[in-house]
Amino acid sequence: MFRLLNALLIAIVLVAHPAWSAPECGRTPEECREHRMHPDMPEPDLHSKAFRVVDAEETNAYWRQQGAEFVQQKLASEPNKRQAKNVILFLGDGMGVTTTSAARNLLGGEEKSLSFENFPFTGLSKTYSVDKIVPDSACTATAYLCGVKGQEGTIGVNGQVPRTDCKVMLDESTHVDSIAKWAMDAGKWAGLVTTTRVTHASPSGVYAHIAERDWENDAEVATDCGAGSGINDIAYQLARGEVGSKLKVIMGGGRKHFVDASLESWGKRTDGLNLIDEFKSASEKNVYVTTAAELAAVDVTKTDRLLGLFNDDHLQYLMETTAESSQPTLEQMTRKAIEYMSQNEQGYFLFIEGGRIDQAHHINQARMALNETIEFSKAIAAAQELTSEDDTLLVVTADHSHVFTYAGYSYRGSDVFGKTPVNGHDGKPYMVLSYANGPSYENFYDAETLERKDPTTVVKGAHDDEFPSGVPVDMDSHGGDDVPVYALGPWAHLFTGVYEQSTIPHMMAYASCVGDGHTMCK
């Protein structure tokens, strides 16, 4: 009877005060400050299906059993000190802790886990660059692939090379090689998969040495450095470079950077080259595909090298694909890449990027960022299914975070894309998800009245909804906080603790006995 009356009272309060705010505090000033930090709100009926997520959570036994099972799991695990035949590095571009935490809601609730969150070992990497507190995807790629930190905007070069410097980068002593080259030097295969352009900042770290991440074709180099600079653009390095020309698998978008504008309407080069035709003519067993159906039909046993370019630019966000879209998912590309790479008895290194998490965050589109995170998780689950933790080291991390927040005391089971239960001091609601800065600012702030707009009138439930930002800028900025690292397989226990991002390839090299540094084989 008491429970029924209590539920009825809560319902009356919620109906009478839909935009509930904390009552006046009648305590000491210090107690009032504490009270405002942690406001008392009407508690939902614990037995209401609208708010329940997991049965028995209100009992002691539920949590004690969960804790005991976790301890037993840890006690039963022993460090795997075998040599890693294969290494797969998964990179969630822009996937900070706030992103992974919020994305769990898309799986059914806060208590759910992304596939890689069940890996036994986790750590944190520090992402700053040589010149910036908050980095970009170029210099971070140099760190987690080459083991050396550089300046923002540069790829595959050390900290002596300033961004856009057309001369210093020509000194090959400033170049740093990636773990992909270390693996190939050891007789292994190497490859890359991404949802961005294959010449974009993150995948370029596998094979390129460049002072400016935007120099993806020769026209862009000429604009900044003039004709005859001697600088090979990123697409050229992928097609003809020492590392790029030997990669066994290359999949993603960005074909516009490989073809001269006079040869194809979508081409961007100006040097007369068609680097795609060069790839196809180099060997009759080189396979070039442009659709998901063509990729699925590839017979890996009859393929020397596999190049898949599925769009002129980046691949589409999954939420923007249609029935007519012909691009593969990240999971499909991952499966085919592993199927192919597994043919090498010496093993392989594979870089796989969920690159559009970052780009959705940049435009304050949280739904698409979190959806891309779920797709990234599916690809990792596929890799775990197709490989053995006895001989394959899986490492999952991010290059940097974003200024993305997940806030507001919402009830369990409520819509993570919705509003919080408490209004701001202006009487208007605020959203669970928001950004510190970004292009959406003007949609949520009335410049004439100098007031916030009600965000629930702007966020309508569309896949491309923009979420509120606090400072108006063209694109939301990256965050400078540490990013998580998850590991499974041989020597995964090395990845615990807090460390420089540049240590990641050294740990992968140690486990797989590649490179000139310290390895388990030495």
Side-chain angles (χ1 to χ4, degrees), residues 141-463:
T142 306
Y144 62 73
L145 286 166
C146 304
V148 172
K149 290 198 175 190
Q151 296 193 36
E152 183 202 25
T154 67
I155 301 169
V157 293
N158 64 26
Q160 299 175 50
V161 179
R163 184 170 187 173
T164 71
D165 191 300
C166 301
K167 294 183 179 179
V168 177
M169 68 148 288
L170 292 174
D171 180 356
E172 293 188 4
S173 69
T174 65
H175 295 187
V176 289
D177 294 320
S178 78
I179 188 172
K181 184 177 188 303
W182 308 346
M184 290 192 295
D185 289 345
K188 298 178 184 290
W189 288 354
L192 67 88
V193 174
T194 180
T195 54
T196 68
R197 297 188 297 268
V198 295
T199 52
H200 206 236
S202 301
S204 296
V206 173
Y207 59 86
H209 310 285
I210 204 85
E212 171 53 62
R213 58 178 288 172
D214 294 336
W215 293 345
E216 295 182 60
N217 62 57
D218 67 298
E220 292 168 347
V221 174
T223 297
D224 287 345
C225 300
S229 66
I231 296 173
N232 294 324
D233 62 85
I234 296 173
Y236 186 97
Q237 292 187 50
L238 179 52
R240 297 185 179 182
E242 180 183 8
V243 175
S245 65
K246 296 180 179 66
L247 295 176
K248 287 290 190 175
V249 170
I250 303 165
M251 283 192 274
R255 56 178 165 246
K256 66 184 182 182
H257 293 304
F258 292 86
V259 179
D260 190 279
S262 67
L263 302 176
E264 295 287 355
S265 60
W266 42 261
K268 297 296 182 182
R269 303 192 68 83
T270 58
D271 55 8
L273 295 178
N274 185 326
L275 298 173
I276 295 174
D277 281 351
E278 277 191 14
F279 172 86
K280 291 189 290 185
S281 62
S283 169
E284 61 182 20
K285 287 188 176 182
N286 279 1
V287 176
Y288 173 62
V289 295
T290 61
T291 68
E294 290 174 352
L295 178 63
V298 171
D299 183 345
V300 297
T301 64
K302 299 178 180 178
T303 302
D304 277 348
R305 298 178 68 210
L306 174 60
L307 173 63
L309 297 178
F310 304 104
N311 207 345
D312 295 344
D313 207 295
H314 302 302
L315 270 61
Q316 290 178 285
Y317 292 108
L318 186 73
M319 294 185 80
E320 293 191 335
T321 58
T322 65
E324 289 73 38
S325 297
S326 59
Q327 74 178 33
T329 64
L330 183 59
E331 179 184 350
Q332 289 170 329
M333 291 191 290
T334 296
R335 287 182 177 277
K336 182 62 73 171
I338 292 174
E339 179 188 0
Y340 176 86
M341 301 292 273
S342 298
Q343 297 177 104
N344 187 19
E345 294 183 359
Q346 299 301 312
Y348 58 84
F349 170 78
L350 187 57
F351 173 79
I352 301 176
E353 181 195 24
R356 304 224 68 189
I357 301 168
D358 168 78
Q359 293 168 347
H361 275 320
H362 274 305
I363 53 178
N364 298 154
Q365 294 184 358
R367 289 182 197 273
M368 290 207 294
L370 299 188
N371 181 260
E372 292 293 314
T373 304
I374 298 301
E375 290 304 302
F376 182 62
S377 177
K378 290 178 183 177
I380 296 161
Q384 190 173 0
E385 171 196 329
L386 295 172
T387 60
S388 168
E389 63 181 281
D390 288 342
D391 67 358
T392 301
L393 172 62
L394 302 182
V395 179
V396 180
T397 189
D399 46 358
H400 54 74
S401 68
H402 273 266
V403 289
F404 176 55
T405 62
Y406 178 27
Y409 304 109
S410 286
Y411 298 120
R412 290 289 299 281
S414 58
D415 182 6
V416 72
F417 299 113
K419 66 184 182 68
T420 67
V422 178
N423 287 348
H425 284 172
D426 56 4
K428 296 181 177 69
Y430 68 97
M431 308 303 287
V432 174
L433 304 179
S434 64
Y435 294 83
N437 55 50
S440 70
Y441 176 85
E442 62 183 22
N443 296 335
F444 294 90
Y445 184 76
D446 191 322
E448 293 184 2
T449 64
L450 304 182
E451 293 180 335
R452 279 195 317 128
K453 298 177 184 178
D454 180 345
T456 62
T457 65
V458 181
V459 179
K460 299 290 190 178
H463 73 277

